[in-house]
Every structure is written in C-alpha cells, then in structure tokens.
Amino acid sequence: MKCKQIVFTEKNKAELLTVDAYEPSPNEVMVKTMVSTISCGTERANITGDPNVNAFGASGVVFPRMSGYNSAGVVIKKGADVKSVEVGDRVVVYWGCHKDYNVVPENQVVKIEDDSISFETAAMSFISTFPMAAIRKTRLEMGESAIVMGLGILGMIAIKLLHTAGAVPIIAADPNPARREIALKNGADYAFDPLCEDFADNVKKVTGGGVNVAIEVTGVGAGFNEALDCMAKFGRVALLGCTRNSDFTVDYYKKIHAPGITVIGAHTMARPNIESHPGWFTHRDDIKAVLKLCGGGRLCLENLIEEIHLPEECTEVYNRLVFDKNFPIVVQFDWRDKQ
C-alpha cells in the first residue's frame, strides 16, 4: 500500500512524497489522517537542520527528516492484540507524522469520545499537553498571577490554559504587537513588549510585586532572564521552550537563590510513561484532559487556527515557515479526500 507523506528532503525544503504504508502489527493501528497540525518551533528547527531538536536523539544532522506529531483521524485497520480502539473510531494520534496513513502502536492513539469535538480541535490536543504539563508542574493555585514569555502556538495555548486554571492576572509577553493583541482576546489580562526598558517594572506593577508563575516558551536565554526579573518571591519558572543556543548568563544568586525561585524543566518528555500522579500526568491522560476541557466548553482551540492547507501545498507552506518571521500561530493540513 502506498501513501503520501510530507518529508524534509534537504535543508529548507519540504516535499510531498509517495511512500510505503505497511500493515499494522498485532499491537498497532492504522489511522487515516484527517487533519495534522504544524508545530512551528520544532518543525522549523527540523527543516533548517538544527542539531538540537530532540534532546534524547542521535547527534548530527541527517536528511531526510520527518515531522508532524499532532494529528487526528479514523482507525481503518488494527492488529489482533489492540483492545482500546475499534475500526471506525475517531482518534488522536501522537508522535505520528504528516502523512495520510499513520501506523502507530496502540498506546499512541487516544479515542475521541465526544462527537462534538472536530478533527481540527483534536489535531491540536497533543501539542496542548506541552503547556498543560508545564502548568501542572508549577502547582499553580487559583488566584495566582502568571506570565507567558513567547506567544507562538505553545504560548497561546498556555494563555488559554492558565485562564481555564484560574490564574489572575495573566500577562502575555512578546515583541510582536499582533500576537499580543491575539493573546488579549484569548485570556491574557495584560500584554507587554519584553524588549521595552520598563518591561519588568510594568509586570510588577500590575501584579503587586511580581508574578507567582512563569511559563517560558521562547527557548531564548534573554527570555529566561526577563522572566526571572518579573518574579515574586518564591515564584516558579517552567522552562517549556526548547533552547536552541546557550549564549546567555544568569545571575543565579540575585535572580534565583536569594528570592527562592524554583526553576522547572518542562520538556514534554519529562513526564511519567505509565501512571499519572498530581503535577505529573502521562501524555495520554493529558490528551484526555484537553479533550474533556474542549468538549465541556472550558477550552477553545479552533479560534487559534489561522490557515488550513492541502498537503500538496507543503513546499510553499514550509518555505514561509523558514523565512517568514510572521508565520501564522497555527497552521494545519487537511488530508481528507477531496472530490
């Protein structure tokens, strides 16, 4: 069986290729993809040949590279040992690829129980677990203040989740004024430019002395430093954004040690594989939580989607991702058969 897959064939180049789709083994399922979502930061690093994409992977940069770990679709085949889903079930696929048929282990699909949840929403549920886990690890309490540094897809979802979790006030920080406006429409109480001289002073003013929780999504040293400048005593900083360089220094005594700041590693892989417990949920349980929040009307993800493209348009889409600094926050591919 053949299928279509988006492949980064060389640096800065994406192509839609015809590849083999193998039959599922006893513990695997085959899913017909309906919608997949671009993870802008990770996929930009992938296609540009950044060596620091997977902290747990092999060293060196090798092409071709594949990506596209957020998708949703319908189970069309399953192995004999698969028990949690049936053929015809609508599912979220995580750690799959941008391809029209994904074959993955059973434990990489989550059934969409609520028929009201669209494929577009479901295809964002996995990436939503990244900021969800970061927020869980900070042990945010209702009524505490929070700041999000960086307003890409993870930062915008973090704003929404913090609002749902009861943080107040919520501060959004990004140099891009358009993204600050979007954040204000999606749950942020204030939005500031972190490049302004009085940035930290403004944050401390609206929070009465500093924020309790920071979600750092930029992956840039300056973003971490600026977050530390905004913290209240005993604040917690979750490092969610993947760092692509280490060209920065921190005054640990002044900014961390003396005020008693807790710094938390919040990479999405830094979580339990099997059993969830308070503050530390598995990917599966966090996906289920996101789907429940969306189905219950507590969380809306679809209003972040700015563009939906056919897979055949991938070369132009990824060219923009590489070179356009104003690439949209959320872009999806629609893999449904067109008549």
Side-chain angles (χ1 to χ4, degrees):
M1 178 178 175
K2 299 293 184 180
C3 69
K4 296 292 186 180
Q5 179 174 0
I6 296 172
V7 179
F8 302 154
T9 52
E10 59 186 75
K11 183 176 180 178
N12 297 342
K13 185 176 182 179
E15 296 181 83
L16 185 66
L17 303 182
T18 300
V19 299
D20 291 324
Y22 59 89
E23 291 294 308
S25 68
N27 69 337
E28 291 181 323
V29 296
M30 177 181 283
V31 178
K32 171 65 178 81
T33 304
M34 299 298 168
V35 176
S36 63
T37 302
I38 293 177
S39 175
C40 297
T42 298
E43 296 194 44
R44 182 182 292 110
N46 249 320
I47 195 171
T48 59
D50 192 307
N52 191 14
V53 174
N54 185 349
F56 312 101
S59 60
V61 177
V62 178
F63 286 92
R65 286 178 156 191
M66 275 65 74
S67 195
Y69 52 79
N70 312 269
S71 65
V74 176
V75 176
I76 62 168
K77 293 182 182 180
K78 70 168 195 166
D81 296 337
V82 173
K83 305 298 183 185
S84 64
V85 294
E86 300 293 338
V87 171
D89 282 347
R90 302 164 71 243
V91 294
V92 173
V93 177
Y94 61 103
W95 300 134
C97 294
H98 287 302
K99 60 193 304 187
D100 55 1
Y101 293 95
N102 271 293
V103 177
V104 296
E106 178 184 9
N107 62 5
Q108 286 177 218
V109 297
V110 175
K111 184 178 177 180
I112 304 167
E113 301 282 358
D114 189 335
D115 290 339
S116 71
I117 294 175
S118 68
F119 284 119
E120 288 79 4
T121 289
M124 295 175 65
S125 62
F126 179 44
I127 197 168
S128 297
T129 69
F130 297 14
M132 176 174 274
I135 294 167
R136 288 193 193 277
K137 289 178 181 180
T138 68
R139 303 298 182 95
L140 174 82
E141 297 281 359
M142 289 183 289
E144 286 193 302
S145 56
I147 188 170
V148 176
M149 302 293 298
L151 299 175
I153 184 171
L154 294 181
M156 286 297 185
I157 296 173
I159 293 287
K160 285 177 170 284
L161 289 170
L162 286 165
H163 189 270
T164 300
V168 61
I170 300 169
I171 296 95
D174 196 286
N176 187 322
R179 294 199 171 188
R180 295 199 300 270
E181 285 299 317
I182 294 172
L184 289 170
K185 294 176 182 177
N186 283 279
D189 299 291
Y190 303 94
F192 298 131
D193 183 349
L195 302 183
C196 290
E197 270 188 32
D198 54 356
F199 169 67
D201 291 336
N202 286 334
V203 172
K204 290 181 176 180
K205 181 178 179 180
V206 300
T207 56
V211 292
N212 304 115
V213 165
I215 309 298
E216 206 300 298
V217 201
T218 69
V220 177
F224 179 37
N225 259 319
E226 288 167 343
L228 292 172
D229 289 338
C230 296
M231 301 309 295
K233 196 171 184 179
F234 310 132
R236 293 92 74 199
V237 181
L239 302 180
L240 176 58
C242 293
T243 305
R244 306 299 178 194
N245 64 73
S246 57
D247 187 21
F248 69 99
T249 58
V250 174
D251 185 339
Y252 289 95
Y253 182 80
K254 180 180 177 182
K255 297 188 178 186
I256 298 176
H257 183 52
I261 303 300
T262 299
V263 179
I264 305 162
H267 192 286
T268 195
M269 296 301 289
R271 62 165 79 223
N273 291 323
I274 299 174
E275 188 172 356
S276 298
H277 56 278
W280 298 78
F281 274 41
T282 64
H283 277 130
R284 292 183 63 81
D285 285 345
D286 265 349
I287 290 171
K288 291 177 182 179
V290 171
L291 294 176
K292 286 180 181 178
L293 289 169
C294 292
R298 311 290 181 85
L299 177 66
C300 176
L301 298 174
E302 277 195 52
N303 67 346
L304 292 177
I305 301 169
E306 296 186 68
E307 295 181 10
I308 297 179
H309 292 273
L310 295 175
E312 290 80 3
E313 300 173 290
C314 68
T315 300
E316 187 267 337
V317 169
Y318 280 101
N319 186 66
R320 288 169 54 209
L321 176 65
V322 172
F323 296 107
D324 184 357
K325 293 182 179 179
N326 295 314
F327 190 80
I329 296 166
V330 179
V331 175
Q332 295 185 325
F333 290 109
D334 187 341
W335 298 83
R336 285 168 283 211
D337 294 330
K338 304 298 181 183
Q339 301 299 324

